[in-house]
Amino acid sequence: MIELVSRERCIGCSICVKVCPTNVFDMEDGQLVIARQEDCQTCFMCEAYCPVDALYVAPYADRSVEVSEQALLHQGWLGSWRAEMGWTPGSETTMAARDTTPFFEQFTKTHRPKES
Amino acid sequence: MAPKADIQLTTDVLVLGGGPAGAWAAWRAASKGARVVLADKGFLGSSGATAPGGTTLLVIPPVVELREDAVQSRLKAGGYLSENAWIHRVLDEVETYLEKVGEWGYPFPKDHNGNPLRTHLHGPEYMKLMRRAVRQAGVRLLDQSPALELLRDANGVGGARGVNRLTGQEWEVRSNAVVLATGGCAFLSNGLGCNVLTGEGLLMAAETGAELSGMEFSRQYAPSSAFGSVTRGRMLAWSTLYDQEGRVIGRGDRAFGSLQQHLLNGPVYASINLADTEEKRRFLRHAHPIFFMPLERAGIDPFRDKFPLTLRYEGTMRGTGGLRLTGNDCRTSVPGLYAAGDAASREKVTGAISGGGAYNASWAICSGNWAGEGAAEYALSQAGDTGKRNLMPAGRYGLVQHSDAGRLMDVPQIISAVQSEVFPLSINFFRSEPVIRASLDRLHGLVPFLHDSVSDDHRHRVRAREAAGMVATARWMYSAALARKESRGLHALAEYPRLDPRQTHRILVSGVDRIHIRAEKVPHSSELTPEEGMVL
Ligand code: SF4
Ligand code: SF4
């Protein structure tokens, strides 16, 4: 679920409000708020679209957890999904370009350990 | 007459739903010269089951034998309910549309001869490109604008009404044709990207008289980590599965018993430890980053640690049923109403089994194109102005804003009541007649509550309509399940563990208050030999 809006980073652009498929965010007096956390479907799209990496979606779909912005920064999770997708400006390649799925079946056939 | 909406638009084609099927339908209709409006509950680009993850495509090289093989094996696997001609259509056309996606900038990987491999699309990238293509085609987008009901007159469907979730404004779009691409119904089971799929699109269509087909093929659950949203069964091919005591209960594609059965007995854990070299781990990581990232965020090393699994119910999304199509142009049984993607029944290409993965993705693209073109031709051929039609809102359930009784609809209660009927493996997966019948009776008991009043808050209105969509969908599913007294493909009843060759037909349902059921012939039923009936 969505757990964090970094007050320091958020520039109030409203992109996440528009992008979130389940309408979790509201803009209140120019400030972004997580208005309906229980409606979050843990899809990580808001993180991918936020231009300043101000959002963090925790991996837990059915419950809310405590997070600390300091710890997330330290662990490198803020903005990590956008970076991995190659959507951060200056990215050299994209997740789509690195995609190995078209080779998955063949790779599995060739490289999966045989039953002993 | 309904009150005037804040936003009033007139167009040729209205597309409801902004996943792949809706995006392609809008693009195609606009390319045919129609004026098009697309309204999505969320945002074309992030909405739906495809956007957050990725989608594998059904693409088979244009070699006659290969395609014949694929079509025949699907016919057999799907219990002879698919239609060869439709699978050929998909195979013939999907490649052309994927070439377009390449032209629009999608970085398809290449094989060693330098030919692009168009068999998988990364969701966010794909849908970002689709958004751009749709806009460039001149489509007007209404984001965050869930439709609540269709408009109709004696000539058929003529548009829809809804609200903007951000502003609370009411919108009304009048159009001579509507494409329903609202997806399947996954009952808010928290599967990746699936909580927008709540069945109100199917309900809207049914309220105008549309029929549905294949709703009994809805026993599909997808494995995900017990805490997470990401439903990707594929990685289990590289996993060892353990029970609570650490005993191995599966390895690779070999499972000792079904995951469903194991989960009824107790927790199940997976570790992707068949990837035993750095190279293999890197390969898998790049195939499905969305599978790994949440596990890593939870502090789990999925290649070495054991993580708990669950099954998330996928409803009609990875099931098969949806609106019945009555023509090659994806028209439904109601004039002016077209259906595409998971909102339509996919039986024509998948038969009785799940279209999950490849079939559904290619189906979304092709059916979107066919519905878009069909709707555009129909709309442009209609003489006269939609503005002059005597269109009335057709919605009836979960929409009452001022009921005399004054009882307020308890929406969360209704939603959890539906979920407790469709989520449990013990009801919906291990189906038996008495259990399904009792569940269906309880679901029928929810219908009167759909006439309770709904507060003016626009978000409550949307939720109420979603609840009504889920109640209707669950009732169609179980009504159809009881009508198919056999086991075939995704449907099974304990009392009838075998396929019955005499039931090689489709089951159609329609209506909301009273559900009507009838059988429909399929073209290949006679090809099922009695011997095959024994083994299937
Ligand atoms: S994770 Fe998805 S559902 Fe949750 S807030 Fe972000 S965009 Fe919305
Ligand atoms: S997208 Fe990012 S910067 Fe913009 S409002 Fe949302 S959190 Fe703030």
Side-chain angles (χ1 to χ4, degrees):
Chain A
M1 281 187 193
I2 179 78
E3 293 292 354
L4 176 88
V5 184
S6 164
R7 291 281 153 241
E8 221 153 285
R9 294 183 172 206
C10 177
I11 52 169
C13 68
S14 285
I15 289 176
C16 57
V17 181
K18 197 170 166 194
V19 163
C20 173
T22 55
N23 192 216
V24 166
F25 303 105
D26 276 346
M27 212 34 115
E28 280 173 16
D29 307 322
Q31 266 225 357
L32 180 74
V33 291
I34 302 173
R36 289 164 295 278
Q37 186 189 28
E38 66 283 3
D39 289 344
C40 174
Q41 59 167 356
T42 317
C43 69
F44 306 96
M45 295 304 299
C46 51
E47 267 193 46
Y49 275 88
C50 174
V52 293
D53 299 329
L55 298 169
Y56 177 74
V57 179
Y60 308 99
D62 306 311
R63 68 194 166 95
S64 175
V65 295
E66 289 272 332
V67 298
S68 114
E69 183 167 349
Q70 274 316 308
L72 292 172
L73 261 178
H74 185 73
Q75 292 159 332
W77 292 133
L78 275 193
S80 72
W81 187 232
R82 184 164 75 118
E84 186 168 1
M85 281 177 37
W87 284 15
T88 313
S91 296
E92 275 163 22
T93 170
T94 59
M95 192 181 283
R98 286 189 303 267
D99 186 9
T100 53
T101 313
F103 311 99
F104 190 92
E105 300 304 326
Q106 191 55 43
F107 189 85
T108 301
K109 226 182 261 168
T110 324
H111 295 290
R112 190 170 60 186
K114 303 279 175 284
E115 284 291 322
S116 48
Chain B
M1 213 38 219
K4 206 166 155 57
D6 305 312
I7 303 164
Q8 289 266 6
L9 300 171
T10 301
T11 189
D12 298 314
V13 175
L14 169 65
V15 178
L16 300 178
W24 280 106
W27 174 81
R28 182 60 168 260
S31 310
K32 286 276 148 188
R35 294 169 301 161
V36 184
V37 174
L38 183 151
D40 185 72
K41 187 192 273 186
F43 177 84
L44 196 180
S46 63
S47 266
T50 298
T55 191
T56 303
L57 298 145
L58 178 73
V59 179
I60 295 171
V63 177
V64 176
E65 295 77 33
L66 289 180
R67 292 206 170 168
E68 246 345 286
D69 271 2
V71 168
Q72 281 303 325
S73 66
R74 180 53 58 146
L75 186 63
K76 199 168 168 175
Y80 288 79
L81 297 188
S82 59
E83 293 178 38
N84 296 355
W86 280 73
I87 304 183
H88 277 298
R89 284 177 85 196
V90 169
L91 293 172
D92 289 347
E93 291 191 29
V94 71
E95 198 76 60
T96 320
Y97 305 130
L98 291 170
E99 272 170 33
K100 273 257 166 289
V101 178
E103 285 164 26
W104 292 334
Y106 190 88
F108 286 110
K110 298 200 163 63
D111 67 10
H112 48 266
N113 297 321
N115 300 316
L117 290 164
R118 304 187 195 95
T119 55
H120 182 250
L121 287 161
H122 172 63
E125 207 75 58
Y126 170 34
M127 293 314 294
K128 195 184 233 184
L129 288 174
M130 288 309 299
R131 183 177 180 93
R132 199 191 305 148
V134 165
R135 293 184 70 154
Q136 278 175 358
V139 174
R140 172 151 183 192
L141 295 180
L142 304 178
D143 293 309
Q144 298 288 347
S145 298
L148 292 173
E149 56 187 325
L150 294 175
L151 306 175
R152 68 144 172 228
D153 62 11
N155 295 323
V157 165
R161 292 175 66 100
V163 292
N164 180 307
R165 290 197 300 198
L166 304 185
T167 61
Q169 284 176 307
E170 307 252 346
W171 58 264
E172 178 177 295
V173 178
R174 290 168 170 250
S175 62
N176 276 329
V178 173
V179 179
L180 249 165
T182 44
C185 179
F187 298 95
L188 298 171
S189 63
N190 281 347
L192 189 70
C194 294
N195 278 12
V196 289
L197 311 171
T198 40
E200 70 276 18
L202 303 179
L203 174 60
M204 280 181 240
E207 286 166 336
T208 68
E211 291 176 301
L212 298 105
S213 180
M215 298 301 281
E216 69 277 27
F217 303 121
S218 44
R219 270 183 345 131
Q220 184 76 12
Y221 290 74
S224 81
S225 79
F227 57 81
S229 59
V230 180
T231 40
R232 288 290 176 280
R234 217 168 201 187
M235 283 303 147
L236 297 188
W238 284 83
S239 303
T240 309
L241 300 185
Y242 304 89
D243 67 9
Q244 193 156 23
E245 277 76 48
R247 283 187 298 247
V248 173
I249 54 174
R251 185 172 276 137
D253 293 323
R254 279 184 47 190
F256 309 107
S258 73
L259 195 50
Q260 285 81 5
Q261 191 61 55
H262 285 302
L263 276 164
L264 273 193
N265 300 339
V268 173
Y269 299 84
S271 178
I272 311 178
N273 49 18
L274 300 183
D276 52 7
T277 65
E278 236 1 272
E279 187 213 350
K280 294 180 197 178
R281 290 191 277 269
R282 197 173 326 116
F283 180 92
L284 297 181
R285 185 70 182 65
H286 283 162
H288 287 291
I290 187 71
F291 180 88
F292 291 95
M293 173 272 283
L295 290 164
E296 292 157 1
R297 285 188 176 184
I300 291 167
D301 175 351
F303 294 114
R304 293 178 184 84
D305 301 338
K306 294 176 189 169
F307 52 92
L309 290 182
T310 191
L311 286 166
R312 291 200 186 270
Y313 183 50
E314 299 191 291
T316 72
M317 190 247 322
R318 289 235 186 161
T320 311
L323 292 166
R324 173 186 171 225
L325 301 180
T326 60
N328 277 346
D329 56 1
C330 295
R331 66 179 68 179
T332 67
S333 43
V334 177
L337 185 63
Y338 295 74
D342 293 349
S345 168
R346 284 134 287 158
E347 287 162 297
K348 288 184 189 302
V349 294
T350 73
I353 57 176
S354 167
Y359 266 82
N360 278 359
S362 293
W363 169 254
I365 296 173
C366 293
S367 63
N369 274 281
W370 300 330
E373 178 164 337
E377 276 175 7
Y378 177 83
L380 296 173
S381 73
Q382 297 298 301
D385 181 357
T386 18
K388 297 209 178 73
R389 286 173 66 176
N390 184 26
L391 293 161
M392 300 295 277
R396 288 183 50 208
Y397 301 88
L399 282 166
V400 181
Q401 275 183 276
H402 306 282
S403 95
D404 293 339
R407 188 171 60 177
L408 217 55
M409 186 170 158
D410 189 347
V411 176
Q413 175 58 37
I414 291 172
I415 291 173
S416 74
V418 178
Q419 289 175 329
S420 66
E421 302 298 342
V422 298
F423 286 174
L425 292 166
S426 58
I427 299 177
N428 197 359
F429 189 79
F430 296 103
R431 287 180 181 178
S432 71
E433 272 186 332
V435 171
I436 293 291
R437 190 167 294 124
S439 178
L440 181 57
D441 282 342
R442 290 188 295 271
L443 288 163
H444 288 332
L446 296 174
V447 176
F449 297 105
L450 304 180
H451 298 293
D452 288 348
S453 63
V454 178
S455 85
D456 289 342
D457 179 285
H458 55 278
R459 291 195 181 93
H460 290 172
R461 292 174 60 198
V462 174
R463 251 312 188 245
R465 201 57 176 143
E466 293 177 340
M470 287 185 266
V471 171
T473 304
R475 290 168 62 243
W476 291 321
M477 275 166 35
Y478 285 176
S479 299
L482 290 174
R484 188 175 283 288
K485 297 188 187 308
E486 61 160 354
S487 294
R488 183 186 303 250
L490 259 189
H491 169 68
L493 277 176
E495 291 80 1
Y496 313 97
R498 311 205 67 86
L499 180 148
D500 169 10
R502 289 165 309 176
Q503 295 183 53
T504 306
H505 51 229
R506 299 208 179 109
I507 290 180
L508 309 183
V509 296
S510 60
V512 184
D513 267 341
R514 289 206 35 220
I515 296 174
H516 307 276
I517 301 174
R518 67 186 183 97
E520 180 189 41
K521 284 203 176 109
V522 287
H524 300 293
S525 56
S526 61
E527 292 166 42
L528 187 143
T529 59
E531 303 80 64
E532 250 174 345
M534 296 300 287
V535 284
L536 275 172

